[in-house]
Amino acid sequence: MLNEQEFIEMLKNIDQQHLLDGLDSVDDETKKAFFDDLRLMDSSYPGGLKQYVANAKILLAESKAGKNPFNGYTPTQPDCVDLTAFNDDYFACEKLGLENIDKLAVVLVAGGLGERLGYPGIKLDIPVEVIDNTSYLAYYASVLLAMESRTGKAVPFVIMVSRDTNAGTLKALETNGYFGLNPNQVYILKQELVPAIKDNEGHIALDAPAKVAAKPHGHGDIHMLLHSSGLANKLKSQGIKYLSFIQDTNGQVFNAMFAALGASIKEGYDFNSIGVNRVPGEAVGALCKLINGDKEMTLNVEYNVLDPLLKATISPDGDVANEKGFSLFPGNINFLLIAMEPYCNILDKTKGIIAEFVNPKYSDDSRTSFKKPTRLETMMQDLPKLFTDGQKVGVTVFDRVWCFSADKNNIKDAAAKAKAGSPPESAATAESDFFWANRQKLSYAGMQVDEADEVEILGIPHTPGPRVLLRPSFALGIVDVNQRINGGSIAGDATLILEGDIYLNNVTISSGSGLVIKACQGAKVTVDNLQVDNDGYKQIMLSSDDLQSDNCPDYLKIRGYKMQAVDVAEYVFDKPGEYNI
Ligand code: UGB
């Protein structure tokens, strides 16, 4: 490690003398914090600040010259597996995926603060549903445990955190006993901030004397961290063949995970982006195959770049709807399956610096000064930019709500999005979509499912019930639900929670009623011809006083309602054995 004098010399050598000006005017503590900060940024970027500044100068010069990376490329449809319907292809892929779950590790990028949502804590702590209050983190862990109970092999769980989310994530894990996971299977990687840059010469910006302006580098940091920690190669040596990248608040992701893994294996995809129907203009990237002569690459084109690219090539009107009312290209949801072998090769070659970009807001057309400091950024979905001809990149398209319904927007913004015809992506819609997906599983297994009526809460439309929670210990794939449910019906605003090894034969749950069955490991429960009629759970709207009150938890305020158990048929089996209801 460089001593202080050497570090100062290094800064001067990379033309950052200005950082040292004004140091005389601050106290020793501030000065120490300043150098600690710079050293951390230096050590956490491959090649250090020297490399970061060098990369910044190149990218800023390209940006100044107006270089468009997609110049000359025409967007066409990507190679695609269509799994939007539950048909033979779907089930073949899901079966293949489930047979290979011992080769899968899950990588959760959770460094984002969620400013659009305005939730005060970490997003992983937010309950995906408020009947049992399962947090996103608890839910993800429960899927990993269910996978392990099938294979006997713990699923490696990599979580990327940031300065903003590190303490909260560790607290959530530690205070909940890692949600039943073994702490050894959980790998926390922390992304650091990068210095902001104030001009085309790559000078680092200060917020104040001895205070570096620092900004997030983006979720593409996950690649750098998987490389620099040695974790990618370690997991490869342990027999992991695929990494699945997921985001912090997408409760639908595991509905599609196993079929997507099957699609990767079947098609030999080295990089499989899960895609959905996209609404034109929405803040979701588009998955395109870009062709320029004999060069082609399948990539996510970010929404801000898509419209000009389309206007310049295949669609004079830009990002508009096709005849089915959707965007011309599938939407990216940052749900990726990446094959380990080519991934490790790329990481070794690039040190995990994946397709950085810079997006300065210039003061004028001369492009010589910025309105405010900028920084280099990176996105995890950009990995294929580094692929050569040898790798196969494809897209697997699922029904949107089946695989994606995130909790990203506060109530006000979500209502505005709904009004404009875009998915609201709010806590309430994420929850009702979570139940909807489970209803699909029951329906497919042959249970009669009567939908409740759509309601609007604080301007956000969603369907409250039937509220169905099928825990991963009950079923992982839709094929599993098929074996466990035989006939029966669930109506209107009813609630059903199933956890563990349970079989339902002709169970009828009337509208508004609630049935909860929980079986511990080793308990097998068969339910025959049960008729459930009770007052179940009630959804209670929050008043405007509740919404302002300090006593009302924020996870309720972001959805506008709470749930109350009134009279529920609850069966809990906490000792192994065979039981009948
Ligand atoms: N995240 C980090 O871990 N670190 C970071 O520095 C930043 C984020 P956002 P974004 O799926 O709806 C993407 O902010 O990046 C985590 C695509 O660009 O919610 O704005 C964060 O914690 C877009 O094409 O998304 O937009 C979260 O888990 C579209 O697909 C995840 O990264 C859009 O996602 C995503 O962060 C989408």
Side-chain angles (χ1 to χ4, degrees), residues 301-322:
V301 177
E302 270 302 90
Y303 48 91
N304 54 330
V305 184
L306 182 68
D307 187 68
L309 176 69
L310 292 174
K311 279 187 178 140
T313 53
I314 57 166
S315 169
D317 294 330
D319 183 11
V320 290
N322 63 14

Side-chain angles (χ1 to χ4, degrees), residues 110-347:
L113 194 52
E115 279 161 349
R116 284 178 279 169
L117 184 62
Y119 184 73
I122 58 161
K123 288 191 281 172
L124 287 175
D125 262 349
I126 298 173
V128 60
E129 50 81 18
V130 289
I131 296 176
D132 247 8
N133 281 341
T134 318
S135 71
Y136 280 98
L137 190 52
Y139 172 62
Y140 295 152
S142 71
V143 179
L144 268 53
L145 288 172
M147 288 164 69
E148 179 178 343
S149 74
R150 289 201 178 195
T151 64
K153 194 175 157 193
V155 185
F157 189 24
V158 183
I159 308 176
M160 183 172 78
V161 296
S162 63
R163 279 187 199 187
D164 295 325
T165 61
N166 183 33
T169 307
L170 286 175
K171 187 169 166 225
L173 287 166
E174 282 162 6
T175 53
N176 291 287
Y178 279 69
F179 300 98
L181 298 171
N182 185 329
N184 292 335
Q185 78 189 94
V186 181
Y187 301 89
I188 304 282
L189 299 177
K190 184 165 168 242
Q191 61 175 151
E192 292 298 341
L193 301 175
V194 289
I197 300 285
K198 64 177 181 173
D199 55 32
N200 284 331
E201 285 67 51
H203 290 125
I204 291 172
L206 291 171
D207 278 338
K211 178 93 187 73
V212 176
K215 297 201 177 195
H217 190 224
H219 40 65
D221 272 350
I222 187 59
H223 302 305
M224 188 167 92
L225 292 169
L226 279 166
H227 173 73
S228 60
S229 62
L231 189 53
N233 279 315
K234 177 176 162 176
L235 295 178
K236 189 175 106 181
S237 72
Q238 290 173 356
I240 294 299
K241 299 257 186 281
Y242 288 90
L243 292 179
S244 165
F245 291 74
I246 66 174
Q247 51 174 308
D248 45 19
T249 65
N250 182 11
Q252 314 300 84
V253 71
F254 285 101
N255 294 325
M257 178 70 73
F258 308 112
L261 175 61
S264 276
I265 296 169
K266 185 165 155 271
E267 298 296 326
Y269 285 155
D270 295 307
F271 189 98
N272 185 5
S273 284
I274 310 316
V276 296
N277 276 333
R278 177 178 176 277
V279 178
E282 78 170 312
V284 157
L287 297 163
C288 313
K289 186 192 277 187
L290 300 169
I291 298 187
N292 183 1
D294 58 358
K295 283 188 282 186
E296 64 172 53
M297 48 187 185
T298 298
L299 280 182
N300 168 61
V301 177
E302 270 302 90
Y303 48 91
N304 54 330
V305 184
L306 182 68
D307 187 68
L309 176 69
L310 292 174
K311 279 187 178 140
T313 53
I314 57 166
S315 169
D317 294 330
D319 183 11
V320 290
N322 63 14
E323 65 286 354
K324 291 185 185 150
F326 295 112
S327 158
L328 303 177
F329 295 97
N332 164 60
I333 55 168
N334 274 347
F335 171 10
L336 313 168
L337 275 152
I338 305 182
M340 208 64 197
E341 186 76 37
Y343 184 59
C344 286
N345 291 342
I346 285 187
L347 293 189

